[in-house]
Coordinates of all heavy atoms in Angstrom, one line a residue:
T1378 N 83.2 104.6 92.7 CA 83.9 103.9 91.5 C 82.9 103.0 90.8 O 82.0 102.4 91.4 CB 85.1 103.2 92.0 OG1 84.7 102.1 92.9 CG2 86.2 104.0 92.6
P1379 N 83.1 102.8 89.5 CA 82.2 101.8 88.8 C 82.3 100.4 89.4 O 83.4 100.0 89.8 CB 82.8 101.8 87.4 CG 83.5 103.2 87.3 CD 84.0 103.4 88.6
I1380 N 81.2 99.8 89.6 CA 81.1 98.5 90.2 C 81.7 97.4 89.3 O 81.7 97.6 88.0 CB 79.7 98.1 90.7 CG1 78.8 98.0 89.5 CG2 79.2 99.1 91.6 CD1 77.4 97.3 89.8
F1381 N 82.2 96.3 89.9 CA 82.6 95.2 89.3 C 81.6 94.0 89.5 O 80.9 94.1 90.5 CB 84.0 94.7 89.7 CG 85.1 95.4 88.9 CD1 86.4 95.4 89.4 CD2 85.0 96.1 87.7 CE1 87.6 96.1 88.7 CE2 85.9 96.7 87.0 CZ 87.2 96.8 87.5
T1382 N 81.7 92.9 88.8 CA 80.9 91.7 89.1 C 81.7 90.5 89.2 O 83.0 90.5 89.4 CB 80.0 91.5 87.8 OG1 80.8 91.1 86.6 CG2 79.2 92.8 87.4
D1383 N 81.2 89.3 89.2 CA 81.9 88.1 89.4 C 82.9 87.8 88.1 O 83.6 86.8 88.2 CB 81.0 86.9 89.8 CG 80.0 86.7 88.6 OD1 80.0 87.4 87.6 OD2 79.3 85.6 88.7
E1384 N 82.7 88.6 87.1 CA 83.6 88.5 86.0 C 85.1 89.0 86.3 O 86.0 88.8 85.6 CB 83.1 89.2 84.8 CG 81.8 88.8 84.2 CD 81.3 89.7 83.2 OE1 82.0 90.5 82.7 OE2 80.0 89.5 82.8
H1385 N 85.2 89.8 87.4 CA 86.3 90.5 87.8 C 87.1 90.0 88.9 O 87.9 90.6 89.6 CB 86.0 92.0 87.9 CG 85.4 92.6 86.8 ND1 84.0 92.8 86.7 CD2 85.8 93.2 85.6 CE1 83.7 93.3 85.6 NE2 84.8 93.6 84.9
W1386 N 86.9 88.7 89.3 CA 87.6 88.1 90.4 C 89.1 88.3 90.4 O 89.7 88.4 91.4 CB 87.3 86.5 90.4 CG 86.1 86.1 91.3 CD1 84.9 85.7 90.7 CD2 85.9 86.1 92.7 NE1 84.0 85.3 91.8 CE2 84.6 85.6 93.0 CE3 86.8 86.4 93.7 CZ2 84.2 85.4 94.2 CZ3 86.2 86.3 95.0 CH2 85.0 85.7 95.2
D1387 N 89.6 88.2 89.2 CA 91.1 88.0 89.2 C 91.7 89.2 88.5 O 92.9 89.2 87.9 CB 91.4 86.8 88.2 CG 91.0 85.6 88.9 OD1 91.4 85.3 90.1 OD2 90.3 84.7 88.3
V1388 N 91.0 90.4 88.5 CA 91.7 91.6 88.1 C 92.7 92.1 89.2 O 92.4 92.2 90.3 CB 90.7 92.8 87.9 CG1 91.3 94.1 87.6 CG2 89.7 92.4 86.8
P1389 N 94.0 92.3 88.7 CA 94.9 92.8 89.7 C 94.5 94.1 90.3 O 94.2 95.1 89.5 CB 96.3 92.9 88.9 CG 96.0 91.9 87.7 CD 94.6 92.0 87.3
L1390 N 94.6 94.3 91.5 CA 94.1 95.5 92.2 C 95.3 96.5 92.2 O 95.8 96.7 93.3 CB 93.6 95.2 93.6 CG 92.3 94.3 93.6 CD1 91.9 94.0 95.0 CD2 91.2 95.1 92.9
D1391 N 95.6 97.0 91.1 CA 96.6 98.1 91.0 C 95.9 99.2 90.1 O 94.9 98.9 89.5 CB 97.9 97.7 90.4 CG 97.8 97.1 89.0 OD1 97.6 97.8 88.1 OD2 98.0 95.9 88.9
F1392 N 96.5 100.4 90.1 CA 95.9 101.6 89.4 C 95.6 101.2 87.9 O 94.6 101.5 87.4 CB 96.7 102.8 89.5 CG 96.8 103.3 91.0 CD1 97.9 103.1 91.8 CD2 95.8 104.0 91.6 CE1 98.0 103.6 93.0 CE2 95.8 104.5 92.9 CZ 97.0 104.2 93.6
E1393 N 96.6 100.7 87.3 CA 96.5 100.6 85.8 C 95.5 99.4 85.4 O 94.6 99.5 84.6 CB 97.9 100.2 85.2 CG 98.8 101.3 85.2 CD 99.3 101.8 86.6 OE1 99.5 100.8 87.4 OE2 99.6 102.9 86.8
S1394 N 95.6 98.2 86.2 CA 94.8 97.1 85.8 C 93.3 97.3 86.0 O 92.4 97.0 85.3 CB 95.2 95.9 86.6 OG 96.5 95.5 86.3
V1395 N 93.0 98.0 87.2 CA 91.6 98.3 87.5 C 91.0 99.3 86.5 O 89.8 99.2 86.0 CB 91.5 98.8 89.0 CG1 90.1 99.3 89.2 CG2 91.8 97.7 90.0
A1396 N 91.9 100.3 86.1 CA 91.4 101.3 85.1 C 91.2 100.6 83.8 O 90.2 100.9 83.0 CB 92.4 102.4 85.0
A1397 N 92.0 99.7 83.4 CA 91.9 99.0 82.1 C 90.5 98.2 82.1 O 90.0 97.9 81.0 CB 93.1 98.1 81.8
A1398 N 90.1 97.7 83.3 CA 89.0 96.8 83.4 C 87.7 97.7 83.5 O 86.6 97.2 83.6 CB 89.1 95.9 84.6
G1399 N 87.9 99.0 83.6 CA 86.7 99.9 83.6 C 86.3 100.5 84.9 O 85.2 101.1 85.0
S1400 N 87.2 100.5 85.9 CA 86.9 101.1 87.1 C 88.1 101.9 87.7 O 89.0 102.2 86.9 CB 86.4 100.1 88.1 OG 85.9 100.7 89.3
M1401 N 88.1 102.2 88.9 CA 89.2 102.9 89.6 C 89.5 102.2 90.9 O 88.7 101.8 91.6 CB 88.9 104.4 89.8 CG 88.6 105.2 88.6 SD 88.2 107.0 88.9 CE 86.6 106.7 89.8
L1402 N 90.8 102.1 91.2 CA 91.3 101.5 92.5 C 90.9 102.4 93.7 O 90.5 101.8 94.7 CB 92.8 101.3 92.4 CG 93.4 100.6 93.6 CD1 92.9 99.2 93.6 CD2 94.9 100.5 93.6
G1403 N 90.8 103.7 93.4 CA 90.4 104.6 94.5 C 91.0 104.4 95.9 O 92.2 104.3 96.0
T1404 N 90.2 104.2 96.8 CA 90.7 104.0 98.2 C 90.7 102.5 98.7 O 90.8 102.2 99.9 CB 89.7 104.7 99.2 OG1 88.3 104.3 99.1 CG2 89.8 106.3 99.1
R1405 N 90.6 101.6 97.7 CA 90.8 100.2 98.0 C 89.7 99.8 99.0 O 90.0 98.9 99.8 CB 92.1 99.8 98.5 CG 93.1 99.8 97.4 CD 94.6 100.0 97.9 NE 94.8 101.4 98.0 CZ 95.1 101.9 99.4 NH1 95.3 101.0 100.4 NH2 95.3 103.2 99.5
A1406 N 88.5 100.3 98.8 CA 87.3 100.0 99.7 C 86.5 99.0 98.9 O 85.7 99.3 98.1 CB 86.5 101.3 100.1
L1407 N 86.8 97.7 99.3 CA 86.0 96.5 98.6 C 84.8 96.2 99.3 O 84.8 95.6 100.4 CB 87.0 95.4 98.5 CG 88.0 95.4 97.4 CD1 89.1 96.5 97.6 CD2 88.8 94.1 97.3
Q1408 N 83.6 96.7 98.8 CA 82.3 96.3 99.4 C 81.8 95.1 98.6 O 81.7 95.2 97.3 CB 81.3 97.5 99.3 CG 81.8 98.7 100.0 CD 80.9 99.9 99.7 OE1 80.0 100.2 100.4 NE2 81.2 100.6 98.7
I1409 N 81.6 94.1 99.3 CA 81.2 92.8 98.7 C 79.7 92.5 98.8 O 79.3 92.4 100.0 CB 82.1 91.6 99.2 CG1 83.6 92.0 99.3 CG2 81.9 90.4 98.4 CD1 84.3 92.3 98.0
F1410 N 79.0 92.2 97.7 CA 77.6 91.9 97.8 C 77.3 90.6 97.2 O 77.8 90.3 96.1 CB 76.8 93.0 97.2 CG 77.0 94.4 97.6 CD1 78.0 95.3 97.2 CD2 76.2 94.8 98.8 CE1 78.3 96.5 97.8 CE2 76.4 96.1 99.3 CZ 77.4 96.9 98.8
D1411 N 76.5 89.8 97.9 CA 76.1 88.4 97.2 C 74.8 88.6 96.5 O 74.2 89.7 96.4 CB 76.2 87.4 98.2 CG 75.1 87.5 99.3 OD1 74.1 88.2 99.1 OD2 75.3 87.0 100.5
E1412 N 74.2 87.4 96.1 CA 73.1 87.5 95.2 C 71.8 87.8 95.9 O 70.8 88.0 95.2 CB 72.9 86.1 94.6 CG 72.3 84.9 95.5 CD 73.2 84.4 96.6 OE1 74.4 84.7 96.6 OE2 72.6 83.6 97.4

C-alpha cells in the first residue's frame, strides 16, 4: 500500500478514509519507521 508520513497521524483507519488520503487499508499491517 502507498506509504503515509507524520502528516497522517489522525487519518481514521477505515476503508474510505484511508483511500481518500491516498492509500489502502489493506490488511491493517502498520509498519512504523522513525527518522
Side-chain angles (χ1 to χ4, degrees):
T1378 59
I1380 65 172
F1381 276 164
T1382 68
D1383 58 357
E1384 301 173 10
H1385 302 93
W1386 269 109
D1387 298 306
V1388 173
L1390 294 174
D1391 60 68
F1392 293 103
E1393 290 72 32
S1394 299
V1395 173
S1400 189
M1401 296 180 291
L1402 186 61
T1404 54
R1405 285 156 282 119
L1407 281 63
Q1408 299 172 91
I1409 313 299
F1410 299 92
D1411 66 23
E1412 80 287 352

